[in-house]
Amino acid sequence: MIVTLLGTGTSSGVPLIGCSCDVCRSLDYRDKRLRVSIHLAVNGHHFVVDTGPDFRQQMLREGISQLDAVIFTHQHKDHTAGLDDVRAFNFLQQRDMPVYGRAEVLEQIHREFEYVFAEHRYPGIPRLQLHEISNTPFEVKGVTFIPIDVLHHKLPVFGFRVSNFAYVTDVNHIAESEQHKLKGLDVLVLGALQRDQHISHYSLEQALGMVERLQPKMTYFTHVSHKMGKHGDVEKELPPTVRLGYDGLKLKL
Ligand SMILES: [Zn+2]
Ligand SMILES: [Zn+2]
Ligand SMILES: [Zn+2]
């Protein structure tokens, strides 16, 4: 399995429009963070988790020409706004794109991409095949995804485990009853927004506390704000088995 971090930035991305802080002006490529998403290549199958506003740019940057399914964590715009661009894969692959999400996510897709489901469709719009998921493991192309039901303030969000890898992005609470699904991991990609506490995301300290509990072999933080500090500075403070993710990072498992 190869996991590519397509984007590692919070909802505004880094740099932030109009901001001239040190992080936003940094020349380090690791301080340029598109909106969060990952690409998974497993047994010759290709998946993305979320299609944020930077989806098109991420597909181009990584040279991705095959996509078997889209799996959604939750319905926030920084995770869904780029869905229209899956039509490129409809044309390339000559088939509908399977999309997986919980009922609330699919309802929102229905509403916000209403033209996709219209009776008389404009030619060239995306062709989607929606699949509802719940908090039970599901299979796509023979690959088993185990949802992890977490909270993002009051909003339920899915993280996903595939084999010894797990991705949990927008989160500030993981119930004890879900934590067992995150034990024995080789790699965990976990949301950590900034140093200060936040209403709907783990702070750096809270994320480190969760890593301490779960003990994955390696952890990469994602959904990072410019308020976290420069990549190079933050990494110096982290334990050796915890790193900040950065856009384009590839993890081989
Ligand atoms: Zn988000
Ligand atoms: Zn800034
Ligand atoms: Zn969110």
Side-chain angles (χ1 to χ4, degrees):
M1 167 164 49
I2 298 174
V3 179
T4 305
L5 304 187
L6 296 172
T8 58
T10 188
S11 58
S12 52
V14 181
L16 195 68
I17 293 174
C19 186
S20 55
C21 79
D22 267 7
V23 178
C24 289
R25 283 184 303 132
S26 164
L27 298 177
D28 187 340
Y29 67 95
R30 298 170 303 174
D31 288 318
K32 313 282 179 213
R33 301 183 185 278
L34 298 178
R35 268 59 69 89
V36 295
S37 174
I38 57 167
H39 175 266
L40 293 169
V42 196
N43 302 333
H45 300 299
H46 297 257
F47 310 102
V48 289
V49 180
D50 296 332
T51 56
D54 303 314
F55 174 74
R56 173 179 172 276
Q57 194 181 340
Q58 290 161 335
M59 295 301 100
L60 291 171
R61 188 190 73 210
E62 298 299 331
I64 294 167
S65 57
Q66 186 197 335
L67 190 59
D68 295 304
V70 175
I71 296 145
F72 281 113
T73 60
H74 67 305
Q75 61 269 45
H76 282 161
K77 262 298 193 295
D78 56 322
H79 299 253
T80 60
L83 184 60
D84 187 84
D85 282 315
V86 302
R87 64 205 164 97
F89 294 103
N90 294 146
F91 304 146
L92 279 169
Q93 302 173 155
Q94 287 299 307
R95 58 173 183 259
D96 294 1
M97 180 60 69
V99 170
Y100 293 78
R102 63 166 89 220
E104 295 80 353
V105 175
L106 301 185
E107 275 162 31
Q108 178 162 323
I109 286 170
H110 247 281
R111 251 193 336 272
E112 299 192 349
F113 298 88
E114 160 277 321
Y115 57 94
V116 170
F117 308 97
E119 197 179 331
H120 302 290
R121 299 177 200 178
Y122 185 81
I125 59 172
R127 297 200 315 266
L128 309 177
Q129 186 193 93
L130 304 185
H131 299 269
E132 186 180 329
I133 56 173
S134 57
N135 192 11
T136 48
F138 60 98
E139 246 183 54
V140 189
K141 296 268 177 188
V143 177
T144 304
F145 289 79
I146 302 169
I148 301 115
D149 202 12
V150 304
L151 279 178
H152 177 32
H153 186 44
K154 290 179 180 159
L155 184 73
V157 169
F158 277 145
F160 298 102
R161 177 176 185 149
V162 177
S163 178
N164 50 357
F165 166 79
Y167 181 62
V168 185
T169 168
D170 296 41
V171 57
N172 71 329
H173 180 71
I174 306 176
E176 202 90 42
S177 54
E178 292 293 288
Q179 287 181 21
H180 71 277
K181 296 178 184 172
L182 297 168
K183 293 281 166 71
L185 289 170
D186 284 337
V187 176
L188 170 64
V189 175
L190 180 65
L193 184 74
Q194 59 188 26
R195 288 161 194 278
D196 296 339
Q197 289 224 11
H198 188 273
I199 188 169
S200 60
H201 292 276
Y202 278 147
S203 65
L204 181 59
E205 195 186 325
Q206 290 169 329
L208 284 168
M210 189 45 68
V211 168
E212 195 57 41
R213 281 188 85 114
L214 300 173
Q215 296 284 329
K217 285 190 187 140
M218 262 323 281
T219 302
Y220 297 88
F221 288 148
T222 193
H223 216 290
V224 174
S225 156
H226 67 151
K227 291 185 189 163
M228 183 71 94
K230 283 195 204 171
H231 190 100
D233 296 339
V234 179
E235 286 224 310
K236 285 181 202 147
E237 302 169 27
L238 298 175
T241 58
V242 181
R243 305 282 87 194
L244 283 192
Y246 59 85
D247 291 19
L249 178 64
K250 280 191 193 320
L251 308 165
K252 294 190 177 69
L253 286 102

